[in-house]
Amino acid sequence: MSDTVVVGLDVGGTSTRATVLTLTGQRVGAGRAGGGNPTSHGAERAAAELLTALREALADVDPTRVAAGTIGLAGAGRLLADPAGRAAFDSAWHDAGLRCPYEVHGDALVAYASGTAAPDGTILIAGTGAITAQVHELRLDRIADGHGWLLGDAGSGFWLGREAVRRLLADLDAGRGLGALTTTVLTELLGSADIAARPRDTVDAAIQTVTRRPPIELARLAPLVVDAATHGDPVATALITEAAAHLTESVSRIRTPGAVTPVVLGGGLLTADTPLAAAVRAEITRHWSDAPLRTAGDGAAAAAWLAARGLPEVTDAAALHARLFPTP
């Protein structure tokens, strides 16, 4: 048992991270590569990044020691349904020297497992997008939102950015003076906070700037909302309150009133010390006062833990999880 290790990978749109763990929870290897999401980058490029991260993580580890592996990524179902994509991942796994089997799970399950070892509970993720999932026996069960920027993702980074621009346009239409948030958004979009003598010209310029870019880029304005709310801007504060209500509503679609299973918060907007994280925590506590509230941690380590818990040598998966993710 002491010689056995497992591999976990957290594959995202901007980075791919790999971790090698012993069955006692010791980290013996780590690797990092570029974005490896096959949906956004294509299967071949994603597999190449996977291989880069694996080789770095296994640089000082004999691959024959690896008994199991787990890959967590968004759009896992699409990869599993695509023979060519799965073949590319299989090839990368083999080229890294690995001969053990591996499982592919959605990033929501991996985020959940990074926050708790409980087999049942709820994961709420808010980053660029937003999704909620119910977990049953450490498998994703019911899912709410995650519908994408056009149809959903309410309360997400995209949503915050879009709503900030809408508030800016409304103020310009009405001839109102701009506040801290809308001034910052205007400057970010046009490079200046100056308003044309005919305000509609500024409105048109802002709209053209936004529509010339991919819609999802509105998410890059979310930090401006968070920062303005931190400094007490009333428009930003109202947006944070509304976003928290949207995110909590998505949880209520699939989580029963009075449930006492854990709720894990994931995604950059909820794992950092932000006004939105504080507002969501307050709302979750108000609706499910007896539920443990956790924060997602290291996704690659959680993926490795998911791989380890299926091995016969691991008789106490909860204890292993506690060593990997000690409660503050």
Side-chain angles (χ1 to χ4, degrees):
M1 172 176 170
S2 61
D3 196 47
T4 300
V5 296
V6 292
V7 171
L9 291 110
D10 184 16
V11 180
T14 58
S15 69
T16 299
R17 296 184 303 110
T19 293
V20 184
L21 295 178
T22 69
L23 299 189
T24 59
Q26 180 185 1
R27 290 171 170 83
V28 294
R32 191 179 186 96
N37 189 309
T39 301
S40 55
H41 299 301
E44 291 297 330
R45 177 181 164 188
E49 300 295 349
L50 182 82
L51 178 58
T52 298
L54 281 172
R55 282 178 169 163
E56 184 177 339
L58 294 166
D60 298 318
V61 179
D62 181 355
T64 63
R65 293 175 57 195
V66 182
T70 295
I71 300 173
L73 82 162
R78 289 189 290 273
L79 174 69
L80 294 173
D82 175 18
R86 186 58 189 262
F89 271 53
D90 287 346
S91 179
W93 194 259
H94 187 272
D95 289 347
L98 297 169
R99 300 297 179 264
C100 63
Y102 69 93
E103 291 189 341
V104 179
H105 292 297
D107 58 343
L109 179 65
V110 171
Y112 175 83
S114 73
T116 181
D120 301 320
T122 307
I123 174 72
L124 169 61
I125 298 175
T128 299
I131 190 170
T132 302
Q134 197 71 6
V135 174
H136 178 60
E137 296 182 354
L138 283 174
R139 291 290 187 271
L140 292 182
D141 192 7
R142 299 178 61 197
I143 296 175
D145 208 346
H147 299 151
W149 63 266
L150 182 61
L151 299 174
D153 289 358
S156 67
F158 168 83
W159 184 93
L160 284 172
R162 184 194 64 191
E163 293 304 307
V165 175
R166 292 179 68 185
R167 299 306 191 276
L168 165 66
L169 298 179
D171 285 347
L172 291 171
D173 284 346
R176 291 189 290 264
L178 302 185
L181 173 62
T182 47
T183 297
T184 303
V185 170
L186 179 60
T187 302
E188 177 67 21
L189 293 177
L190 301 183
S192 168
D194 294 338
I195 300 173
R198 181 175 176 269
R200 188 67 192 185
D201 292 340
T202 302
V203 169
D204 291 341
I207 292 172
Q208 289 170 13
T209 298
V210 170
T211 55
R212 279 197 298 261
R213 299 170 179 169
I216 200 65
E217 283 197 17
L218 282 170
R220 67 186 176 83
L221 301 176
L224 303 182
V225 181
V226 171
D227 183 67
T230 300
H231 291 89
D233 178 78
V235 174
T237 299
L239 287 180
I240 292 295
T241 299
E242 190 175 347
H246 280 306
L247 293 169
T248 305
E249 189 277 330
S250 75
V251 175
S252 68
R253 295 180 199 175
I254 57 174
R255 184 176 172 91
T256 58
V260 297
T261 54
V263 177
V264 178
L265 303 181
L269 287 172
L270 301 183
T271 55
D273 183 15
T274 68
L276 181 58
V280 168
R281 285 179 172 275
E283 283 294 297
I284 295 295
T285 300
R286 185 168 69 85
H287 285 77
W288 296 278
S289 57
D290 295 325
L293 192 53
R294 304 282 186 255
T295 302
D298 184 342
W305 176 77
L306 287 169
R309 65 184 294 277
L311 297 177
E313 302 98 315
V314 179
T315 58
D316 193 342
L320 174 58
H321 191 281
R323 288 193 292 273
L324 291 171
F325 304 101
T327 303

